[in-house]
Amino acid sequence: QQQVKQSPQSLIVQKGGISIINCAYENTAFDYFPWYQQFPGKGPALLIAIRPDVSEKKEGRFTISFNKSAKQFSLHIMDSQPGDSATYFCAASRNSGYALNFGKGTSLLVTP
Amino acid sequence: DTAVSQTPKYLVTQMGNDKSIKCEQNLGHDTMYWYKQDSKKFLKIMFSYNNKELIINETVPNRFSPKSPDKAHLNLHINSLELGDSAVYFCASSRFEGYGYTFGSGTRLTVV
C-alpha cells in the first residue's frame, strides 16, 4: 500500500527554471516530511525536511510548501541547474525515528 | 570520513547461495535500518534496530535476517538467494527522536 503518492514521475526543466514536485499522503499521524536527492550509484541524501507546524521552509534554492488540511506537500527548486539533475524522493514518517515511507520518485533533468 | 558505510558495494551471486552485507555508522546514532530499492527505484523499509533491538520488521521473507552486534553495526544476512532478491540494499541510521536520516551508498545485489 503506497502511503505517499508522488508526481510527476519525470520532469524536464530548462536551466534557470523552477522545478516543482508534488506529494500527497493519507496517514494523519505522519509528522515529519523530508525530501531526498539521489544521484546514480549513490544513496539518498537528505535535502530539506519540514514538520507540519509550519507551512513553508526554505533552504537556499530549495523550498518545501506544506498544506496540512489538504495533506499535500511540494518541493520547489528555484533557478534549477544541470547539477540538480537527479531523482527526488518525498517521504513521510511519524517522526524521524520511525520508518520513512517514500514516494516513487521523480527523475529531474535540467537542460542547459 | 564515511558516515554510513556498507560492504560490499557490488555482489553477484548464484541462486541458492547465502550472502551477507555489512553496515557500520560512525555518527553515534542509535537507530539503524535496512531499505530495499527495486528496479523501479522504489525504496521500502525492511528492518529497523534501536540500540540493538529490532523495532520494525516489515513483511520480508524469513530468508532475510538482520543482526546488530552493537548499535554502530547492522548486518543483513540472506539465505537461499532468489532471482527476485536482486536489488540495491541501503543501510541507514538516525537518531531515534530527531532528524537526520543518513543513508549509505548501497549494495547492488545481483542474483544469477
Side-chain angles (χ1 to χ4, degrees), chain B residues 47-62:
Chain B
F47 301 103
S48 170
Y49 266 78
N50 177 252
N51 280 324
K52 303 194 297 175
E53 184 179 342
L54 182 66
I55 56 172
I56 293 175
N57 183 358
E58 290 294 309
T59 306
V60 175
N62 291 338

Side-chain angles (χ1 to χ4, degrees), chain A residues 47-66:
Chain A
L47 198 58
I48 186 172
I50 197 168
R51 294 216 181 247
D53 51 350
V54 297
S55 60
E56 186 174 282
K57 183 174 181 179
K58 184 176 181 179
E59 289 184 2
R61 297 185 292 110
F62 301 92
T63 300
I64 299 179
S65 298
F66 186 83

Side-chain angles (χ1 to χ4, degrees), chain A residues 2 32 36 38 40-46 49-51 57 87 89 93 95-105 107, chain B residues 9 31 33 35 37 40-45 48 55-56 58 90 94-106 108:
Chain A
Q2 188 74 28
Y32 176 65
Y36 282 82
Q38 186 179 26
K42 303 291 185 184
L46 180 64
I50 197 168
R51 294 216 181 247
K57 183 174 181 179
T87 301
F89 293 93
S93 74
N95 68 44
S96 66
Y98 289 89
L100 290 171
N101 297 275
F102 282 92
K104 290 192 173 183
S107 179
Chain B
K9 187 167 177 63
T31 306
Y33 311 81
Y35 281 82
Q37 187 170 46
K40 296 184 179 179
K41 294 193 176 179
F42 182 55
L43 279 154
K44 186 171 169 55
I45 183 75
S48 170
I55 56 172
I56 293 175
E58 290 294 309
F90 287 101
S94 77
R95 297 190 303 278
F96 194 65
E97 304 86 5
Y99 296 86
Y101 252 82
T102 303
F103 282 82
S105 58
R108 181 174 292 277

Side-chain angles (χ1 to χ4, degrees), chain A residues 13-16 39 79-86 108-112:
Chain A
V13 173
Q14 282 196 329
K15 180 182 175 181
F39 292 104
D79 187 26
S80 298
Q81 299 296 312
D84 296 331
S85 297
L108 171 65
L109 176 63
V110 181
T111 59

